[in-house]
Amino acid sequence: MSTVAFDSSAVRVGRARGRYFRENFAQGGVDLVQIIPELVTNSDAAIAASGRAAGRIVLAFAAPDPELVSAWRARMRELGSPALTSWRHELSCTDDGEGVDASLVDGRLGALGVAPPEAGQRGLFGRGLRDVWLAQGAGRIEGIRSDRTVESWFFPAPGDDPYAFCHVIDRAASDEDREALGVAISGSRVTVPLVAARLPAPGRLRTIVSGLVQLRPILQDPTREVVLELEGHTPEQVAYPAPEPDPERPILFDSDVAVMAGVTARIVVRRSAEALSQGFSRATRRGGLVVCSGRAAHETTLVSCEGRPGGRHLYGEVHCEAIEQRQRQALQKPRPELVVRVDRSGLNEHHPLVTALYAAIDRVLKPIVAAEERRAGAHLIGAPKAINARDQVGLKALNDLLRSAFDQPGSTGAEPGNQPAAKPPAEIPDDDDVDEPEPELDAGADGPEPGDDEPPQPEPPASPVQVLWFKQSPVRLHPGERRTVTLLADPQQLPPGTPVEAEADTGLNVTLRTPTIPQASRRGHSAIAVVLHARVSTEPGARLTVVAAAGEHAAELEVLIVRHRASGWVREIARKDQDQQIEAEFDPETGVVTVYEGRREFRALERSARRAGYTKKRAPEYVPFRMLEVEAAANAVYAWAAEQVLARRLPEERPSDPADYAAAVYHEHQALRHTAHHKLMHAFLEEEIFDGRVSLTQPTRQSRGRQLRLIKDDTDS
């Protein structure tokens, strides 16, 4: 083989457009469930690196400083950077850790792909602060370290480089700088401008922060204090709402298991006292086993037992330190096979270690879930075919009630007001019924003069007028369903031809049939057809929002993603021969209403049915027993529906006083019952009960001991 001459001066270096980096990094880190863990875990690592025994992390949502936004916009235009130049909200995370100075910013944030120097840090597993800033189009970091303070701006580079940064402040730190940053010795603050035009409701933000799976090692650490600050609200410490353990069986499994050669994992399976909702997102759900390595939490999973009834009470942890070791080894290879997905949404199921870990978790969970299902079904009792058939008729009526309560909250006028009207509503008569107008009174004619008996009443203030609104909100969509809704506008405030824009949460696609405000219809309003399309991958139970804007006005539409279920919310009435404090409970995940017929009132009526000649299996046909069963099942569904209706009516917050909230739920419960309970009773019970063919007779001395006949026959007459 001939020797090949290699000329190093002839080596060419490939180039990549800056647009390539911006478009790729924009695929991750755009959601709050991805941004918040990046900031908080970065602060946690900074506190750990400082060597302090405890630390404080402040997560704040606020409006940006107008002066800073103005200076940022001017500087970005001067540089020609395609950076974000206007935003309404920003998220900042402040910690009292080791802090940063200009040299540390240059070393750690000045290059892509820098691995953390210490083990046990979450930064080993994928994207970091730079990627969040690139995805959002801007970012800032402020810090104090070694008596130096620095403020650095990060933004997309104007040329073919992925990003650029600039130290706008680099000087000796003063007490005023520490006070402004909120630290005593050292610390840092990372700020991310948010592209979204609006933030979730404060209650939803608290739920997101406290429930994020990736933050649980930090939230459950007694040496860390995480504080959430929301604009207009009092700062509050955030803690993970851990499930309440089952008092009888709190731990079902706690042991080390073999995963593969040289790899073990510690698996702890716990049981909660109450069933855990699977949640709208796996990023915040409470059920399942949290897979951890070092200080990082990756995902929560039940592997092949996802969705099984036996897994509703299970939660716990899986600690596998080999995940971090294999990840660090993979980063040193020319073709790394990562254990954790790059966007940190979970483990890479194609990796051999993850496949073996899932198999080990399955070996532990399958017998536990099977035992849970056997235990749950041990007390189930059947019902006669006639009762089951009648249940289907009643459940259809019950689902019709829920559909009207959820989907048709009522129509409102085009011009709502908060003041009582001075006159009754005027009725427009037909043309044939128009009467001649009464002659007006002369100034000297007899008649009440204003001010003779009482002073003239001031006119009520003009009621606010809707300018842009959706005809119906909320609406329900199944995953993959397409639906058209109507957006209405006042043509006097928004003249025809005004551009209209619409933005939807992730999981929804929104299309406007008309890009501008059309001409008014005969009713005096401009109507725009808006097509909604829910993606197939959207999680059932998610509450998504569509925001439409025209001029200076905006309208909001709430969309609830529901499961594919032809029979509606309630599918089945299950009966358990078990005594409980509650008479019935409704599980919205499965659509099953469970009635506990082991309670004393059911036992008493069962004995009455046996004395009346019914067998034990046919006891549900006994009219008093059946009525009590229907009342218990309906009340359980009413209570759940009342909470849902109240949550939609007050999306921002619930009544602060527990007594007020309980009273609101109770009144909504009674309103639902008043609306359709008579129809439900007619649907659930037999026709002869409502036809007057059922009667209770007092036994005579001769007939004492004989069976009471509830339905009259010809011999009785």
Side-chain angles (χ1 to χ4, degrees):
M1 180 177 179
S2 60
T3 303
V4 178
F6 183 83
D7 185 3
S8 59
S9 63
V11 176
R12 300 278 196 274
V13 178
R15 296 191 306 163
R17 297 282 182 181
R19 179 176 60 85
Y20 167 82
F21 292 95
R22 291 192 292 270
E23 291 178 353
N24 280 273
F25 285 126
Q27 303 305 315
V30 295
D31 295 330
L32 286 178
V33 294
Q34 296 173 293
I35 297 175
I36 294 175
E38 297 293 349
L39 302 186
V40 177
T41 53
N42 182 75
S43 296
D44 176 68
I47 295 173
S50 67
R52 300 191 180 98
R56 189 170 189 264
I57 302 173
V58 179
L59 199 65
F61 291 85
D65 183 3
E67 295 182 1
L68 184 141
V69 174
S70 178
W72 173 280
R73 184 183 300 113
R75 188 60 184 272
M76 293 302 106
R77 289 176 179 174
E78 177 185 345
L79 296 174
S81 170
L84 183 68
T85 57
S86 178
W87 59 93
R88 295 184 179 179
H89 310 280
E90 62 183 19
L91 171 61
S92 64
C93 186
T94 308
D95 64 79
D96 54 359
E98 63 174 347
V100 295
D101 52 19
S103 60
L104 193 62
V105 171
D106 294 340
R108 291 190 181 177
L109 302 177
L112 292 170
V114 178
E118 299 180 12
Q121 295 187 18
R122 184 175 175 272
L124 180 68
F125 299 104
R127 293 188 166 105
L129 293 179
R130 290 174 301 265
D131 311 294
V132 171
W133 286 330
L134 283 172
Q136 299 299 101
R140 305 191 311 274
I141 184 170
E142 307 164 70
I144 297 177
R145 177 186 173 91
S146 301
D147 294 330
R148 297 289 297 180
T149 180
V150 66
E151 179 178 349
S152 303
W153 291 3
F154 281 72
F155 46 87
D160 289 342
D161 296 318
Y163 67 93
F165 64 96
C166 176
H167 304 308
V168 296
I169 296 177
D170 184 9
R171 63 170 186 261
S174 62
D175 294 339
E176 290 77 7
D177 294 330
R178 291 185 174 87
E179 183 179 358
L181 193 60
V183 298
I185 303 175
S186 62
S188 59
R189 175 185 296 146
V190 178
T191 303
V192 178
L194 300 178
V195 181
R198 56 175 181 78
L199 290 177
R204 178 59 181 160
L205 283 176
R206 298 186 191 100
T207 302
I208 291 175
V209 176
S210 63
L212 279 171
V213 173
Q214 297 170 342
L215 297 187
R216 290 183 189 175
I218 302 173
L219 296 177
Q220 294 177 317
D221 188 347
T223 65
R224 296 290 186 268
E225 180 185 2
V226 181
V227 178
L228 177 63
E229 292 184 356
L230 301 176
E231 199 169 15
H233 294 75
T234 304
E236 57 181 323
Q237 186 173 354
V238 181
Y240 171 60
E244 181 182 355
D246 190 325
E248 299 180 358
R249 298 179 299 148
I251 299 179
L252 304 180
F253 186 87
D254 185 359
S255 180
D256 293 332
V257 297
V259 177
M260 54 193 307
V263 177
T264 60
R266 182 79 174 185
I267 300 179
V268 182
V269 182
R270 311 177 191 272
R271 191 180 193 277
S272 65
E274 301 293 336
L276 300 175
S277 173
Q278 297 299 316
F280 304 150
S281 170
R282 293 186 63 179
T284 57
R285 73 173 185 175
R286 302 171 65 196
L289 307 183
V290 180
V291 182
C292 306
S293 62
R295 191 71 171 172
H298 305 293
E299 68 176 12
T300 174
T301 181
L302 289 175
V303 198
S304 64
C305 299
E306 294 281 0
R308 291 183 57 177
R312 294 294 309 280
H313 289 261
L314 303 184
Y315 70 103
E317 308 87 32
V318 177
H319 295 273
C320 183
E321 301 303 329
I323 295 178
E324 179 175 343
Q325 299 171 4
R326 297 296 176 91
Q327 184 84 354
R328 191 173 288 274
Q329 294 172 4
L331 295 178
Q332 307 302 325
K333 296 180 180 180
R335 296 188 61 190
E337 188 178 7
L338 301 180
V339 187
V340 181
R341 297 174 188 169
V342 178
D343 61 356
R344 305 190 190 186
S345 60
L347 300 177
N348 177 17
E349 64 273 12
H350 304 293
H351 194 280
L353 173 61
V354 178
T355 303
L357 180 63
Y358 283 167
I361 298 174
D362 255 346
R363 290 194 297 269
V364 173
L365 283 182
K366 283 184 176 179
I368 295 177
V369 171
E372 286 289 309
E373 292 178 349
R374 288 194 300 269
R375 184 185 181 90
H379 300 280
L380 287 176
I381 56 178
K385 292 183 178 180
I387 294 297
N388 288 330
R390 199 69 195 175
D391 281 349
Q392 299 304 315
V393 180
L395 292 177
K396 184 179 182 301
L398 187 57
N399 285 315
D400 291 340
L401 166 65
L402 297 180
R403 185 175 295 107
S404 63
F406 293 161
D407 290 352
Q408 301 173 6
S411 60
T412 59
E415 298 181 359
N418 52 10
Q419 296 291 336
K423 298 179 180 180
E427 297 182 358
I428 301 176
D430 296 333
D431 296 338
D432 298 336
D433 299 333
V434 175
D435 298 330
E436 293 293 330
E438 297 181 0
E440 297 182 359
L441 294 176
D442 296 333
D446 295 335
E449 289 284 347
D452 288 347
D453 298 329
E454 57 181 2
Q457 298 294 331
E459 295 184 0
S463 56
V465 178
Q466 291 187 97
V467 179
L468 190 69
W469 72 100
F470 284 95
K471 186 176 181 180
Q472 178 182 345
S473 180
V475 297
R476 297 171 61 248
L477 288 179
H478 295 87
E481 183 181 357
R482 189 185 303 271
R483 180 172 177 178
T484 302
V485 298
T486 303
L487 176 67
L488 298 176
D490 183 2
Q492 296 182 357
Q493 301 289 333
L494 292 174
T498 304
V500 183
E501 297 179 353
E503 180 182 354
D505 287 341
T506 303
L508 272 179
N509 293 330
V510 56
T511 304
L512 297 175
R513 293 279 179 85
T514 305
T516 59
I517 299 293
Q519 296 293 333
S521 62
R522 290 180 298 176
R523 295 186 177 183
H525 305 300
S526 300
I528 304 172
V530 181
V531 180
L532 303 177
H533 180 213
R535 298 179 184 176
V536 179
S537 58
T538 306
E539 289 284 341
R543 293 180 182 271
L544 306 178
T545 304
V546 178
V547 177
E552 299 180 354
H553 305 280
E556 188 171 307
L557 170 68
E558 182 182 2
V559 180
L560 176 65
I561 306 299
V562 297
R563 296 182 183 276
H564 285 287
R565 189 175 293 159
S567 57
W569 288 270
V570 192
R571 296 190 302 112
E572 179 186 357
I573 295 181
R575 301 160 176 86
K576 279 193 175 182
D577 188 14
Q578 188 177 359
D579 189 11
Q580 292 285 350
Q581 290 185 347
I582 57 175
E583 58 184 5
E585 62 178 346
F586 174 57
D587 185 357
E589 295 288 335
T590 60
V592 176
V593 184
T594 303
V595 182
Y596 295 99
E597 298 185 355
R599 290 166 57 93
R600 281 174 288 185
E601 63 269 26
F602 283 98
R603 294 293 192 192
L605 290 178
E606 182 182 352
R607 291 192 294 268
S608 300
R610 297 293 297 273
R611 288 194 297 268
Y614 291 87
T615 63
K616 183 176 182 179
K617 185 177 181 180
R618 293 187 58 200
E621 297 181 2
Y622 184 55
V623 174
F625 189 98
R626 175 62 172 169
M627 293 184 67
L628 179 61
E629 183 180 73
V630 171
E631 287 282 347
N635 285 333
V637 179
Y638 289 151
W640 170 80
E643 294 178 356
Q644 300 299 312
V645 172
L646 187 62
R648 298 180 186 193
R649 186 169 300 166
L650 301 175
E652 298 296 334
E653 60 179 352
R654 294 181 177 181
S656 57
D657 188 356
D660 292 343
Y661 176 72
V665 174
Y666 171 76
H667 286 298
E668 195 64 43
H669 178 287
Q670 293 299 309
L672 292 174
R673 184 183 179 93
H674 176 267
T675 301
H677 193 64
H678 63 290
K679 297 180 181 179
L680 293 182
M681 298 298 291
H682 192 279
F684 273 106
L685 301 179
E686 299 295 334
E687 293 292 338
E688 55 265 20
I689 297 177
F690 296 91
D691 291 343
R693 291 183 287 144
V694 174
S695 62
L696 295 176
T697 60
Q698 293 292 336
T700 60
R701 292 184 179 181
Q702 292 79 9
S703 62
R704 183 171 297 170
R706 296 174 55 189
Q707 177 182 345
L708 293 177
R709 287 177 291 184
L710 299 179
I711 302 177
K712 293 183 178 181
D713 51 23
D714 297 337
T715 60
D716 294 333
S717 57

